[in-house]
Amino acid sequence: VSALGDRVNLSIENDVLRLLGFNPVTLITTVGKDGSINAAPHSWVTVVDYNPPQLLFSVNMKHDTYRNIMETREFVVNIPGVNMIREVWVTQRRFSYGTNELEEANLTAFPSDKVKPPRVKECKAHIECKVLWTRIIGSTCLVLGSIEAVSISKEMEKLDVKERAVALNRLIFFSYQKGENVRNWLFAEIGKIHILTERDGKVEIRSETV
Ligand SMILES: Cc1cc2nc3c(=O)[nH]c(=O)nc-3n(C[C@H](O)[C@H](O)[C@H](O)COP(=O)(O)O)c2cc1C
């Protein structure tokens, strides 16, 4: 650790890199060429373009999700809420290839509109994607997907963007700690919304607890 005035350098390791984090968790569903369904939590997922709509995620090459992506080149990004924390955790457990994690977690698959991998019923939003390209960058592979369809549960249809964000109640992942016989996954949730309004060149910031 070296000092730079009032700054301190840290060694670059996993948990330090999570400073950038607070990544909302998604549940990615894929299918194998044998038709088996897979689901796994992914937090390194982001939209990278609106026009055309595209998103990028990274997947460890040892994972079943990677195998399925390479075999069938489709996936669904399902958006779980904080209420699904336990189920999301169950799907991250290491099951043998072909095990349907949705069944293990008591979650319900229902057909997608445009792709073979199913949507997860308990999730309130879903983004159906087809793989455009993959690129290995180390222990992980980047997957760029074209967004083919987006759906939300009916009860959210009439909500404005703010109400929708609150209703989604995203599960936000920010740390993982491993001890001798204990592991901690640290999550956060939305609690405050800040609205910056610019009117006639004047800026006003309003904060609301939600
Ligand atoms: C909150 C959370 C976020 C995760 N994010 C990612 C991720 O972005 N990329 C990744 O490769 N694995 C991620 N993982 C780990 C995988 O979900 C986990 O290793 C899983 O067992 C892989 O399943 P699969 O082999 O069925 O694909 C995450 C796990 C958790 C709990």
Side-chain angles (χ1 to χ4, degrees), residues 5-133:
D6 66 345
R7 298 297 129 134
V8 173
N9 287 339
L10 300 176
S11 62
I12 304 168
E13 33 83 355
N14 295 356
D15 220 48
V16 150
L17 292 177
R18 291 188 200 280
L19 285 168
L20 193 63
F22 283 87
N23 295 92
V25 180
T26 69
L27 205 49
I28 294 190
T29 44
T30 52
V31 289
K33 65 174 188 289
D34 61 359
S36 63
I37 292 172
N38 193 88
H42 281 259
S43 54
W44 290 350
V45 182
T46 187
V47 171
V48 287
D49 202 354
Y50 288 138
N51 189 17
Q54 295 176 120
L55 65 75
L56 189 70
F57 77 99
S58 95
V59 59
N60 189 298
M61 287 187 291
K62 292 197 190 115
H63 294 174
D64 298 340
T65 300
Y66 175 70
R67 173 172 166 176
N68 287 352
I69 287 285
M70 299 315 281
E71 284 185 7
T72 61
R73 303 186 70 80
E74 293 182 335
F75 61 98
V76 178
V77 177
N78 300 275
I79 313 287
V82 169
N83 62 314
M84 293 174 64
I85 188 165
R86 195 177 285 270
E87 288 82 355
V88 165
W89 179 81
V90 171
T91 67
Q92 69 77 44
R93 288 171 56 198
R94 305 249 57 192
F95 297 104
S96 57
Y97 183 79
T99 305
N100 182 343
E101 286 90 354
L102 296 180
E103 285 173 2
E104 298 295 326
N106 277 318
L107 294 171
T108 321
F110 79 106
S112 293
D113 275 339
K114 299 279 172 67
V115 298
K116 282 214 185 71
R119 287 176 278 184
V120 179
K121 199 163 182 199
E122 290 77 6
C123 291
K124 288 184 180 159
H126 324 269
I127 304 174
E128 299 175 30
C129 300
K130 289 192 172 159
V131 174
L132 290 169
W133 55 249

